[in-house]
């Protein structure tokens, strides 16, 4: 059988049924008895470009970052039917869970195979709910929670749904998005489609994927001045006492765009890629576009924003303001927005499902200042010469790495004010005796107080995580009461507890005490302290020195709090590899909190950790200022 001839013969028929010409505004799926199916698909103006992107020879990847209920499932069905009847190839539709896959297979894809005649005529062989064969290819509907879903398959057309809800690492085999895309690598004319409603800021997969595309938005003309613009939430206005006043403000003329204008302006809208690109040796901002929204080069006139394979990664963002559903009319959006402003959890839902953007309710106090900002706040003190006058004790923290140990000294004053003293590294295997001996020598070093007395570290906190954790416990055991062994813990069930120490245990073999720390809460505290701008309670000082350079502060601010609610988590910033100073600060904050009852008893005259034999001496300044109140009298000869 000539599949190409059959494809051409059915091409016009399936286009009239599944992908209509532009003149047609409605597609009805009917069953064999000519009774109309309950679902009638009227493609919205902004959906046509998605279908055209499936056909485009330039576009390889399609990312739909969207609000809820904008027709993504119907788009997938339509594209699937077009593939089966026009360009057969293996199709994979990946859902989040097995239950989601089953529902999609029955409620969505199942309707196409039951009621679309051109598709029915091409069916052959396998025909289960989640696996079907047709002339020229097969369809499989899988789920992302199973790594086996992405094995022993070669896929030309890949559709992924609600990817923001997918796991980061499925069954320890990696990112399921990448596992799925790997199945398309041998297909030169592959199509990769990702669609999802965004979720938590910082961890949202669809937002990340959209950022890697040419970033298309739907531009509509103002009904008053014809200026084309995006409908943005920042331009949304309404009277809280009268939601019928809801409207957008035109960026061009300042006039109001109401609900009754939407139908006309959306029909006249167009997709526009917005990312800058370089083509024909010219860096340019998009200024002309084709019918799908691809940016065209100002010199050659061809799509210019291409990836390393000469293909286009097309990203489409759409939200409820463009929809024609009664429940998402502008007054309804205004009502929901006003309610969401009063409740963070509702705002999360509103921004994700209505506006189609990632969102986080993370408090601003936990958003770290930039590393440049903290760098410029450095103080002029020389802790390696003399410690600050306010010093009550010195604490140290140690981070264990594979081939080195990093240490940090801190001077502690009243009300939790802290001064960074020194930061350094002991190179070598942490399990090696020479490395451990060197570390103890470094940790035992004396520091000079302004009055001449010497002081050493009162206590040390040491991270014993990693492959050598048992050896590190063996190292810590003889120094009980001076070196405190700890392990960081980020457990979703316990990270919101107020306690900073989650567990206290003694290793049964090594006989060493160790504690599990509530790292999430400690990092919150570290961020709060680093954001304090004026010296005083809980402020952290850093000296002007070569040790505390820009690289140090980049590592100190290497993490950010992302996500919302129970999913809030501290993650390394993109491109940031090292974070030791950040961890060392977190550890010493625990140690300070643990020893705070003892530290409170100390004074500047009686600091903790004084070395034996250390006596108070006069500095040169003190000698000059000394007076016994005796002055030579004018009556010296008396």
């Amino acid at each position: 059988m000539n599949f190409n001839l059959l494809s051409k013969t059915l091409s016009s028929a399936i286009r009239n049924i599944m992908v209509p010409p532009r003149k047609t505004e409605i597609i009805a799926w009917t069953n064999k008895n000519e009774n109309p199916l309950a679902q009638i698909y009227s493609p919205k103006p902004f959906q046509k470009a998605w279908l055209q992107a499936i056909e485009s020879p330039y576009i390889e990847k399609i990312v739909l970052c969207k609000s809820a209920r904008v027709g993504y499932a119907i788009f997938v069905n339509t594209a699937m039917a077009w593939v089966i009847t026009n360009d057969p190839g293996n199709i994979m539709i990946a859902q989040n869970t097995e239950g989601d896959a089953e529902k999609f297979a029955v409620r969505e894809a199942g309707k196409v195979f039951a009621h679309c005649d051109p598709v029915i005529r091409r069916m052959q062989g396998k025909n289960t709910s989640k696996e079907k064969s047709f002339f020229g290819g097969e369809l499989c509907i899988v789920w992302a929670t199973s790594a086996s879903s992405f094995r022993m398959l070669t896929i030309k057309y890949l559709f992924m749904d609600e990817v923001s809800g997918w796991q980061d690492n499925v069954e320890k085999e990696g990112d399921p998005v990448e596992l799925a895309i790997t199945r398309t690598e041998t297909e030169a004319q592959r199509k990769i489609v990702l669609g999802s409603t965004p979720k938590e800021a910082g961890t949202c997969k669809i937002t990340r994927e959209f950022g890697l595309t040419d970033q298309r938005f739907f531009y509509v003309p103002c009904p008053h001045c014809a200026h084309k613009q995006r409908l943005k939430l920042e331009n949304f206005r309404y009277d809280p006492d009268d939601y019928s006043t809801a409207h957008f403000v035109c960026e061009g003329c300042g006039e109001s765009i109401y609900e009754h204008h939407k139908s006309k302006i959306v029909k006249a809208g167009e997709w526009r890629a917005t990312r800058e690109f370089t083509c024909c040796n010219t860096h340019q901002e998009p200024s002309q576009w084709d019918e799908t929204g691809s940016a065209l080069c100002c010199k050659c006139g061809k799509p210019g924003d291409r990836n390393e394979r000469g293909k286009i990664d097309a990203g489409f963002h759409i939200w409820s303001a463009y929809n024609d559903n009664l429940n998402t009319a502008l007054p309804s959006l205004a009502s929901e927005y006003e309610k969401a402003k009063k409740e963070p959890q509702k705002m999360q839902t509103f921004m994700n499902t209505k506006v189609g953007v990632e969102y986080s309710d993370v408090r601003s106090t936990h958003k770290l200042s930039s590393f440049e900002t903290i760098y410029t706040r450095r103080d002029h003190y020389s802790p390696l010469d003399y410690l600050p006058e306010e010093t009550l004790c010195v604490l140290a923290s140690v981070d264990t790495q594979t081939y080195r140990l990093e240490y940090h000294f801190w001077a502690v004053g009243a009300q939790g004010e802290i001064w960074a003293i020194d930061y350094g590294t002991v190179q070598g295997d942490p399990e090696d005796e020479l490395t451990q001996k060197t570390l103890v020598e470094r940790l035992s070093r004396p520091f000079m107080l302004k009055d001449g007395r010497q002081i050493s570290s009162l206590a040390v906190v040491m991270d014993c995580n990693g492959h050598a954790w048992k050896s590190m416990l063996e190292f810590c055991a003889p120094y009980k009461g001076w070196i405190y062994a700890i392990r960081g813990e980020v457990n979703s069930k316990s990270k919101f507890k107020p306690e900073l120490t989650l567990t206290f245990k003694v290793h049964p073999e090594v006989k060493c005490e160790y504690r599990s720390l509530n790292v999430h809460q400690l990092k919150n505290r570290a961020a709060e302290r680093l954001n304090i701008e004026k010296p005083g309670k809980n402020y952290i000082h850093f000296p002007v020195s070569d040790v505390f350079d820009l690289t140090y502060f980049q590592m100190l601010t290497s993490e950010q709090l992302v996500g919302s609610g129970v999913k809030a988590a501290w993650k390394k910033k993109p491109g940031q590899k090292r974070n030791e100073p950040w961890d060392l600060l977190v550890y010493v904050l625990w140690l300070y909190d643990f020893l705070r009852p003892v530290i409170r008893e100390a004074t500047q005259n009686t600091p903790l950790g004084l070395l034996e034999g250390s006596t108070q001496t006069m500095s040169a300044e003190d000698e000059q200022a000394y007076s016994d109140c005796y002055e030579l009298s004018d009556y010296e000869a008396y």
Side-chain angles (χ1 to χ4, degrees):
M1 181 180 291
N2 189 326
F3 292 118
N4 291 330
L5 178 61
L6 178 61
S7 176
K8 292 178 180 178
T9 303
L10 294 175
S11 178
S12 61
I14 191 62
R15 284 178 183 274
N16 288 333
I17 294 175
M18 298 305 297
V19 185
R22 295 177 195 166
K23 295 180 182 178
T24 306
E25 293 297 336
I26 190 167
I27 304 168
W29 293 334
T30 60
N31 61 21
K32 296 180 181 180
N33 297 323
E34 302 298 330
N35 294 324
L37 199 64
Q39 187 174 19
I40 297 179
Y41 174 37
S42 296
K44 298 176 174 63
F46 57 77
Q47 293 173 328
K48 293 179 181 178
W50 306 348
L51 301 171
Q52 291 165 343
I54 293 291
E55 296 183 84
S56 172
Y58 291 107
I59 296 176
E60 176 180 72
K61 191 174 185 179
I62 302 169
V63 177
L64 294 177
C65 183
K66 62 185 186 61
S67 63
R69 312 306 299 169
V70 292
Y72 179 70
I74 297 177
F75 157 66
V76 172
N77 280 343
T78 306
M80 175 187 67
W82 182 89
V83 167
I84 292 172
T85 56
N86 288 271
D87 187 24
N90 289 342
I91 305 170
M92 173 185 284
I93 300 175
Q95 296 288 333
N96 186 11
T97 65
E98 184 175 5
D100 293 338
E102 183 66 36
K103 284 189 284 188
F104 186 89
V106 174
R107 299 178 185 178
E108 300 293 344
K111 296 175 183 178
V112 178
F113 291 98
H115 303 291
C116 183
D117 284 340
V119 173
I120 294 172
R121 290 196 296 269
R122 295 189 64 83
M123 296 297 296
Q124 66 165 5
K126 189 183 299 182
N127 186 13
T128 65
S129 63
K130 293 188 284 292
E131 292 185 327
K132 298 181 184 294
S133 297
F134 50 86
F135 293 118
E138 294 183 348
L139 166 71
C140 60
I141 301 176
V142 301
W143 48 97
T145 52
S146 172
S148 62
S149 296
F150 309 114
R151 296 183 190 139
M152 297 185 295
L153 294 168
T154 299
I155 301 299
K156 182 177 182 180
Y157 291 93
L158 172 62
F159 298 88
M160 292 176 275
D161 194 6
E162 291 301 337
V163 296
S164 290
W166 290 19
Q167 298 176 8
D168 293 326
N169 190 340
V170 55
E171 296 178 346
K172 298 183 179 180
E173 294 192 25
D175 184 355
V177 172
E178 295 302 321
L179 292 176
I181 292 176
T182 299
R183 310 320 307 171
T184 69
E185 288 182 351
T186 57
E187 292 286 346
Q189 300 299 321
R190 65 181 178 174
K191 294 286 182 180
I192 301 167
V193 182
L194 301 90
S196 183
T197 301
K199 294 188 182 299
E200 294 81 13
T203 60
C204 179
K205 289 184 173 61
I206 199 65
T207 302
R208 179 192 65 197
E209 294 290 340
F210 180 76
L212 299 175
T213 68
D214 57 10
Q215 300 170 27
R216 307 175 188 209
F217 297 91
F218 200 65
Y219 282 70
V220 296
C222 171
H224 309 289
C225 69
H227 172 71
K228 287 197 172 180
Q229 62 204 287
R230 294 163 47 190
L231 297 180
K232 301 178 182 178
L233 186 62
E234 64 190 59
N235 296 329
F236 190 45
R237 305 285 187 273
Y238 60 88
D239 181 350
D241 297 323
D242 183 7
Y243 296 128
S244 65
T245 61
H247 64 279
F248 286 93
V249 176
C250 173
E251 295 177 343
C253 65
E255 291 292 328
S256 300
I257 303 174
Y258 289 95
E259 179 67 26
H260 65 268
H261 292 127
K262 271 175 47 178
S263 177
K264 182 179 180 180
I265 65 175
V266 170
K267 284 182 180 179
E270 63 181 25
W271 286 100
R272 292 182 179 181
T274 60
R275 187 174 69 171
E276 297 180 5
F277 62 93
T278 300
C279 187
C280 297
N281 296 320
T282 303
H283 186 77
Q284 50 196 289
E285 293 183 2
S287 58
Q288 51 185 339
W289 302 266
D290 66 12
E291 60 185 1
T292 68
S294 298
L296 303 178
C297 175
C298 63
K299 290 192 172 182
C300 66
K302 296 180 180 179
D305 192 0
R306 304 192 194 187
N307 61 26
E308 67 280 3
R309 293 178 297 281
K311 300 287 187 178
I312 295 175
D313 293 334
F316 298 86
H317 180 273
I318 197 72
W319 66 293
S320 298
Y322 294 94
N323 239 334
D324 56 3
N325 298 331
L326 292 176
N327 293 328
T328 56
L330 298 188
S332 297
L333 280 177
S335 175
E336 291 191 44
Y337 190 28
E338 188 64 21
K339 293 175 183 176
K341 289 179 181 179
K342 300 173 182 177
E343 298 182 41
Q345 289 184 338
K346 287 189 176 181
M347 182 60 79
Q348 174 84 48
T349 303
F350 178 81
M351 298 301 289
N352 291 165
T353 64
K354 295 298 187 294
V355 187
V357 295
E358 63 178 10
Y359 179 79
S360 174
D361 60 4
V362 171
R363 292 194 301 154
S364 60
T365 52
H366 294 155
K367 292 183 179 179
L368 272 171
S369 301
S370 67
F371 68 91
E372 296 99 334
T373 300
I374 303 175
Y375 174 80
T376 57
R377 293 206 304 258
R378 293 184 304 168
D379 299 336
H380 289 280
Y381 66 97
S382 302
L384 298 184
D385 294 333
Y386 295 103
L387 295 180
E389 293 181 1
E390 299 88 345
T391 300
L392 300 180
C393 70
V394 171
L395 301 178
S397 48
V398 179
D399 189 40
T400 305
Q401 299 294 325
T402 306
Y403 299 109
R404 67 185 186 279
L405 294 165
E406 300 211 0
Y407 61 87
H408 207 309
F409 288 101
W410 312 82
V412 179
Q415 294 188 306
E417 197 168 3
I418 294 177
W419 288 260
I421 300 176
D422 195 16
Y423 166 62
T425 302
V426 177
Q427 297 290 345
D429 185 349
E431 298 183 78
D432 184 76
E433 289 186 7
L434 180 59
T435 305
Q436 296 173 358
K437 180 181 178 182
T438 304
L439 176 65
V440 172
E441 291 174 352
R442 299 278 180 90
L443 296 176
S444 303
R445 63 169 296 181
F447 295 95
M448 186 73 73
L449 295 172
K450 281 223 171 180
D451 59 14
R453 292 179 295 174
Q454 289 186 324
I455 191 174
S456 64
S457 55
L458 172 67
V460 179
V461 56
M462 184 166 185
D463 165 43
C464 293
N465 272 328
H467 70 283
W469 83 278
K470 187 175 179 181
S471 297
M472 292 300 95
L473 289 179
E474 292 174 347
F475 163 71
C476 294
Y479 301 102
K480 179 181 178 181
W482 181 48
I483 298 181
Y484 293 84
I486 56 96
R487 303 189 73 179
E489 183 173 320
V490 187
N491 188 301
S492 59
K493 294 182 179 179
S494 58
K495 67 181 181 181
F496 294 108
K497 292 181 177 180
E499 295 83 9
L500 300 183
T501 304
L502 296 176
T503 62
F504 169 76
K505 297 180 181 179
V506 177
H507 194 280
E509 300 171 12
V510 181
K511 308 301 181 184
C512 179
E513 298 177 353
Y514 67 95
R515 293 163 175 82
S516 296
L517 309 189
N518 190 340
V519 171
H520 181 83
Q521 294 295 347
L522 284 166
K523 289 182 176 181
N524 287 349
R525 288 196 178 190
E528 290 172 0
R529 282 174 168 249
L530 288 174
N531 288 338
I532 298 174
E533 298 180 355
K534 295 181 179 180
K537 182 179 180 180
N538 292 333
Y539 185 79
I540 302 177
H541 300 260
F542 296 95
V544 176
S545 75
D546 293 338
V547 172
F548 298 95
D549 57 9
L550 276 173
T551 301
Y552 171 90
F553 288 96
Q554 284 179 317
M555 294 188 289
L556 183 69
T557 58
S558 60
E559 295 191 10
Q560 59 185 347
L561 186 59
V562 298
S564 300
V566 295
K567 293 187 178 180
W570 284 93
K571 302 283 187 181
K572 281 185 181 178
K573 296 176 181 177
Q576 186 69 45
K577 294 182 179 180
R578 294 188 56 186
N579 66 342
E580 288 87 345
W582 170 248
D583 284 341
L584 290 168
L585 173 60
V586 168
Y587 301 153
V588 81
L589 290 182
W590 171 83
L591 185 60
Y592 165 73
D593 185 83
F594 181 73
L595 297 176
R596 187 163 50 178
V598 176
I599 297 174
R600 279 178 175 173
E601 301 300 320
T603 66
Q604 293 179 30
N605 290 328
T606 59
L608 302 174
L610 279 174
L611 294 178
E612 291 184 8
S614 178
T615 58
Q616 188 168 349
T617 60
M618 294 186 199
S619 66
E621 293 179 0
D622 290 336
E623 289 180 355
Q624 293 175 3
Y626 174 75
S627 171
D628 60 2
C629 298
Y630 173 79
E631 295 180 0
L632 290 177
S633 169
D634 291 339
Y635 303 96
E636 187 176 358
Y638 176 70

